[in-house]
Structure formats: C-alpha cells, structure tokens
Amino acid sequence: MIGYVIKKPDVEGFFVRRLNRFLGVGVINGREEFIHIHDPGRLTELLRPGVKFFAYSKSTGKTRFYLTAVELGDELVLVNSAVHNDVAAWLITNKYVLSGYEVIRKEPRFGDSRFDLLLRSPGGGYAFVEVKGVTLEENGIAKFPDAPTSRGARHMLELTRAVELGYETYVLFLVFRSRARLFMPNAVLDSRFTESLKYAINHGGVRALAYKLILTRDWAIIPVGQLDIRIG
C-alpha cells in the first residue's frame, strides 16, 4: 500500500486530561503519566477522557511520552503537527498535489517570518506553501482552525505579500479525518482567520488546496484525494 510511513508508536494508553497547550495526562501501564502534545489545536473532540491514544517513549525532555494518534471510533487520527511538513513534501514529490513542482527547502524565510515549504515551479519560478493540519470534522465538513490562530491569519496576509513580490503561493490543508467530504474555514470559531483566508484567495492571488489522508493501523498515512473547498 502506498503511503507515508511514520514511526510505529511503542506505547498505548487512555487519555485523562489536558493540562496546557503542550502537556496532557494519560494512563499508561496502569500509571498516570505526563504526555507531550505537539499540536496547537484545542482537539476537544479528540482528547476526551478515556479515549485510547498511541505514543512514543522518549528519554529526553520534561515528559517520557510523545502523543502520536488517538482512536476515534473506527478511525485513527494523527495528532502530531511535527510531521505535517514532511507529509506535504511527500505528497508534492509523489505528484499527489502540485504535480511538477519540486520541494527546494523546508521552513524558508520570508522577511521576518517563515513559510513551511519553498518549491520550484514547472516554469522555473518559486512558490511558497503554508501547510495547515486539520483534525476537526463536523457532519462530513473538515474545519480549520479548531482554536483561534492569529499566526494563521498573519500567514495568509504574508502569502498575499509574497504574491505581490512575484512568488506563487499556496495554503495546503491536510485533512486527517476519514469522513470529511468538504473543507471550510471555521468562521464561527475564528472569523479573523476566515476573513484573512477569503481575502488571500479572492484578492491576493493565493491558491488554496485541501487534501484528505487516512492513518492506517500499519502506521502509514494514505493519500485519499483532494477535497472541495467552500470559503463562504
């Protein structure tokens, strides 16, 4: 099966509570343990008390475990934003999205900021890509963000500025929910991000893509296909 294979988690447990943005508590081998959470979203529909999770053991840092995914009904949902750029680069390199583009650099600088990817276009120009991971799904609609993100709104305006300087720019939403059929910005939760995205697309020359993936029990992230985007 074709997919982007991630490292297999070596522990599993049951979630208890989230303490802050980066720290949670779970029961592993009958003991409560601190778990590092590498995802800035609220994840309230995923990190519920009693939900089964999978994690990596780690020997450095303040916590002994690093959250990887949670089991939500019959699906595994990736909860590790550290791999998003690698997944996006893999999709591009393997021509699932932006076929013909070449990944030149990860986390390229742009002014005082950084985007996630720098590409070379088929015509020899350059393109910036900002990657956003999506784990919130409601009634078949994937939504971003699931927590207000002033950084995300700023990135949309910076992509617009890059267009003015001659770059192609893209925002790529990686949707990690198996039942998602459509992508929409989460206007109710974060109107600022939504308006920034609308402006970037409608007036700033930024192009938006949403791509659905599923995480298998073999710990491969499988490409499913592009989703329609409804900006509203």
Side-chain angles (χ1 to χ4, degrees):
M1 185 176 287
I2 298 174
Y4 179 86
V5 179
I6 64 173
K7 178 183 174 184
K8 182 179 179 181
D10 57 352
V11 297
E12 58 185 63
F14 295 94
F15 197 75
V16 177
R17 61 189 179 277
R18 193 169 186 173
L19 300 177
N20 58 43
R21 180 179 176 183
F22 297 110
L23 189 64
V25 176
V27 175
I28 298 173
N29 295 326
R31 293 180 53 184
E32 284 199 353
E33 303 279 4
F34 290 120
I35 309 158
H36 177 75
I37 302 170
H38 199 103
D39 193 304
R42 288 176 177 167
L43 307 173
T44 51
E45 80 286 2
L46 301 179
L47 298 183
R48 295 176 288 107
V51 73
K52 186 177 182 179
F53 68 82
F54 300 85
Y56 302 127
S57 300
K58 54 196 288 282
S59 56
T60 59
K62 297 180 180 179
T63 59
R64 292 181 53 221
F65 302 98
Y66 187 109
L67 183 65
T68 308
V70 300
E71 189 173 76
L72 191 65
D74 59 356
E75 67 176 319
L76 286 178
V77 182
L78 182 75
V79 185
N80 182 4
S81 61
V83 304
H84 290 171
N85 288 359
D86 290 337
V87 173
W90 182 88
L91 286 171
I92 295 164
T93 299
N94 288 278
K95 305 184 188 309
Y96 290 103
V97 293
L98 296 173
S99 180
Y101 287 72
E102 178 187 358
V103 178
I104 301 297
R105 189 178 307 138
K106 295 177 181 175
E107 298 189 4
R109 285 191 177 278
F110 178 75
D112 295 329
S113 300
R114 291 181 183 271
F115 291 125
D116 289 318
L117 299 173
L118 174 66
L119 314 180
R120 181 175 285 117
S121 74
Y126 292 94
F128 286 119
V129 181
E130 187 63 20
V131 181
K132 304 295 184 187
V134 183
T135 59
L136 176 62
E137 175 263 322
E138 296 175 342
N139 300 316
I141 301 173
K143 296 181 179 182
F144 181 91
D146 81 335
T149 171
S150 58
R151 181 172 178 266
R154 187 178 73 249
H155 280 155
M156 297 306 102
L157 300 181
E158 288 172 342
L159 287 173
T160 299
R161 188 159 65 89
V163 172
E164 295 171 354
L165 296 176
Y167 293 93
E168 291 180 44
T169 63
Y170 297 87
V171 55
L172 173 59
F173 296 97
L174 301 180
V175 178
F176 293 100
R177 295 300 301 273
S178 64
R179 291 176 176 80
R181 303 185 305 273
L182 175 74
F183 172 81
M184 294 179 64
N186 197 346
V188 172
L189 181 72
D190 193 341
S191 60
R192 182 182 175 191
F193 173 81
T194 300
E195 291 305 315
S196 297
L197 177 63
K198 286 182 181 179
Y199 178 83
I201 294 171
N202 295 331
H203 305 287
V206 179
R207 282 166 273 188
L209 302 166
Y211 200 94
K212 177 174 159 180
L213 307 110
I214 59 171
L215 178 61
T216 72
R217 303 283 170 170
D218 296 323
W219 302 103
I221 298 172
I222 305 298
V224 177
Q226 289 198 45
L227 295 177
D228 288 336
I229 296 176
R230 185 186 299 162
I231 298 300

